[in-house]
Amino acid sequence: MRKLLLSTAALCLVAQLATAQIRLPQPSPGASVMQTVGTTDITVKYSRPSLKGREPFTSALVPYGKVWRTGANAATNFNTTTDLMVNGQKLAAGTYALLSIPEQNQWTIIFNKNVATTEADYKQTEDALRVTVTPGTSSVKTESFTIDFSDVTDSTAKMNIMWGNARASVPMGVDVNANAAANVDKAVAEKPEDAAVLQAAASYNLSKGRNLDQALAWTDKSIGLKETYRNVWVKAQILAKMGKFAEAVPLAQKAMTLGEASGDAAFPFFKDAIAKGVTEYSSKMPAVPTAVKGMKAKKKS
């Protein structure tokens, strides 16, 4: 009778804690990892079960060949802020449930449109993308299930799924130039009267050799709003890139004059580049024909 009373009391305590929504330790605590690739943010939110002396991919824990929520507790969520190439296949920007089918020689990685789905109610018809990867092994045993990113560049990364000695790496890539160009166009559309935004947008186009006529128009507007040595120097560089050295030289010289009078602490970082620009652009200006020189001398006499 006493045991029954104790059990009843314990059940009541659990019910009270649940009703009060008291935050308590979880056996598979939540985790989140975010990785920026170029201008794309990739975020994974998941729970981390631990082995506690068990082997990960067994019938008693996570069986091979079955759909798995790729974590524990609630669904694992995967978000990408731009379109993404996953192992060579396109995944549209958005949030997905990240599931997988682990096998000894192959893992199927699943991105499902139902962000709350787990293996209990998973429907393949709701898949946005499936890819397969070949798993590897690690000499270091991962006790707590882990998802992280490695081999990060400005356009690629690997998402690693690790538990025990198993490691599945999923190659990911972004079109960083297209994303950056879209961000530039969006910024100008949102702030068309901001001199600094227009200058930054023109600088980006200049750096990529992209739509120089548009870049020139942006610098002209930027200068019209607020002339600085920076936007004048950007315009000089654009004109030089277009082969218009005779127009670029006086602008580069003007940028030097404006910079020296600006009191801007950052100007010394620009000064050498501007000076080199003046010299380089001057050397590339077309030579004045001898006959023209003679005519000018005759007029003076």
Side-chain angles (χ1 to χ4, degrees):
M1 184 64 179
R2 186 181 177 190
K3 287 184 178 180
L4 180 60
L5 289 172
L6 286 172
S7 298
T8 302
L11 287 171
C12 288
L13 177 60
V14 170
Q16 288 174 22
L17 290 172
T19 303
Q21 296 182 331
I22 296 174
R23 188 175 183 182
L24 298 171
Q26 298 294 312
S28 300
S32 178
V33 58
M34 192 281 281
Q35 180 62 57
T36 298
V37 181
T39 60
T40 301
D41 292 336
I42 304 171
T43 304
V44 183
K45 294 182 179 180
Y46 67 109
S47 295
R48 305 185 65 191
S50 294
L51 292 175
K52 299 176 182 177
R54 303 169 294 181
E55 288 300 316
F57 301 107
T58 61
S59 57
L61 199 54
V62 177
Y64 276 137
K66 301 289 184 181
V67 175
W68 176 40
R69 69 189 70 186
T70 320
N73 302 331
T76 293
N77 280 177
F78 178 99
N79 174 269
T80 173
T81 56
T82 71
D83 292 352
L84 193 65
M85 298 300 290
V86 181
N87 204 22
Q89 298 187 53
K90 183 179 177 180
L91 179 68
T95 302
Y96 304 90
L98 176 64
L99 302 104
S100 57
I101 304 174
E103 296 181 81
Q104 191 165 4
N105 299 315
Q106 174 181 284
W107 278 49
T108 301
I109 308 300
I110 303 167
F111 299 87
N112 192 272
K113 297 174 186 175
N114 180 357
V115 297
T117 196
T118 66
E119 58 269 12
D121 57 359
Y122 165 74
K123 296 177 183 176
Q124 187 171 343
T125 55
E126 295 178 325
D127 285 355
L129 179 66
R130 277 186 168 214
V131 299
T132 58
V133 296
T134 302
T137 57
S138 172
S139 57
V140 178
K141 195 167 190 176
T142 302
E143 169 65 21
S144 297
F145 175 69
T146 299
I147 297 176
D148 72 6
F149 291 87
S150 66
D151 304 292
V152 180
T153 71
D154 65 356
S155 60
T156 60
K158 288 181 180 178
M159 181 178 72
N160 306 302
I161 301 172
M162 300 172 289
W163 206 16
N165 296 108
R167 178 187 180 100
S169 294
V170 187
M172 297 185 171
V174 297
D175 189 339
V176 66
N177 290 330
N179 291 339
N183 289 344
V184 165
D185 293 340
K186 181 182 177 184
V188 172
E190 290 176 348
K191 295 184 177 181
E193 303 300 321
D194 189 312
V197 167
L198 291 165
Q199 176 200 308
S203 294
Y204 174 78
N205 276 21
L206 171 64
S207 69
K208 298 300 179 182
R210 167 187 181 253
N211 200 343
L212 295 180
D213 287 332
Q214 179 66 78
L216 193 59
W218 283 337
T219 51
D220 283 338
K221 188 171 182 180
S222 177
I223 291 167
L225 290 165
K226 183 181 179 180
E227 185 179 66
T228 68
Y229 73 87
R230 297 188 189 217
N231 52 25
V232 171
W233 170 230
V234 171
K235 182 175 180 179
Q237 292 175 88
I238 294 169
L239 289 168
K241 189 86 169 180
M242 298 170 81
K244 299 178 180 181
F245 298 105
E247 296 177 54
V249 169
L251 280 170
Q253 292 169 333
K254 185 176 183 179
M256 180 68 80
T257 302
L258 289 170
E260 289 175 336
S262 68
D264 185 351
F267 178 66
F269 296 99
F270 291 84
K271 187 173 181 177
D272 286 347
I274 295 172
K276 288 178 183 177
V278 171
T279 302
E280 179 187 344
Y281 305 160
S282 297
S283 69
K284 293 180 179 179
M285 286 176 61
V288 179
T290 304
V292 173
K293 288 181 180 178
M295 288 174 65
K296 287 182 178 180
K298 189 175 181 180
K299 284 180 181 179
K300 288 180 181 179
S301 63

